[in-house]
Amino acid sequence: TMPKEPAVLRQNILDTTAAILACGIDPKKCLLFRQSLVPEHAELAWILGCLTNVPRLLRLPQWKMKRASQNNEGTVGLLTYPVLQAADILLYKSTRVPVGEDQVLHLELAQDIAQHFNKKYGEFFPVPKAILSEM
């Protein structure tokens, strides 16, 4: 949600890919791709954003904390990022999502959005459930 230098962003993508592979992820056994090259993520985020009300997003604690750290000038990107996360989950019709405690409310938003969409347009998205990591 913060502007990045293109060269730094490209390097971060390469570094992250290298770290994933170094952790033992085998690209012969799993699909590894650059999400930003899949336009359906942004397209679904737009659709879901049109079904999500602003007061619901304003109640998320991450929005409140980040906005406070940015002198109460949080960006639209920061506000709508949880809708993009929901799109990332729902696009693949995920049923289980590994999350940390700090992301439970964002997953609950994805659940709410899926239920709202299904009620309005018919059963389409499974309602994802959390797999809480233990740390």
Side-chain angles (χ1 to χ4, degrees):
T1 59
M2 299 299 292
K4 303 278 188 239
E5 290 295 324
V8 173
L9 183 57
R10 281 190 291 279
Q11 188 60 49
N12 287 346
I13 292 168
L14 294 173
D15 292 347
T16 300
T17 303
I20 289 169
L21 295 172
C23 288
I25 298 297
D26 184 351
K28 293 178 185 168
K29 295 182 180 178
C30 69
L31 187 59
L32 186 60
F33 64 95
R34 213 167 98 196
Q35 179 179 317
S36 61
L37 296 178
V38 181
E40 289 83 358
H41 285 270
E43 292 166 359
L44 183 58
W46 172 258
I47 292 166
L48 299 179
C50 291
L51 298 172
T52 306
N53 67 50
V54 173
R56 174 75 166 90
L57 297 174
L58 291 173
R59 287 193 302 269
L60 292 171
Q62 288 86 344
W63 162 255
K64 292 176 183 177
M65 290 177 356
K66 290 281 188 170
R67 191 184 68 188
S69 72
Q70 294 177 1
N71 298 321
N72 289 322
E73 294 189 17
T75 64
V76 171
L78 181 61
L79 182 65
T80 60
Y81 185 72
V83 178
L84 177 61
Q85 287 180 308
D88 295 344
I89 294 164
L90 298 176
L91 181 63
Y92 298 99
K93 296 192 174 184
S94 303
T95 57
R96 303 272 190 266
V97 181
V99 295
E101 286 290 332
D102 63 327
Q103 291 297 308
V104 168
L105 292 176
H106 285 190
L107 183 60
E108 288 175 2
L109 176 68
Q111 293 166 337
D112 292 347
I113 291 172
Q115 290 168 343
H116 180 70
F117 186 97
N118 291 343
K119 184 177 179 183
K120 189 169 182 84
Y121 299 108
E123 290 298 315
F124 187 77
F125 293 117
V127 178
K129 299 201 178 343
I131 299 172
L132 289 172
S133 58
E134 297 190 21
M135 295 191 120

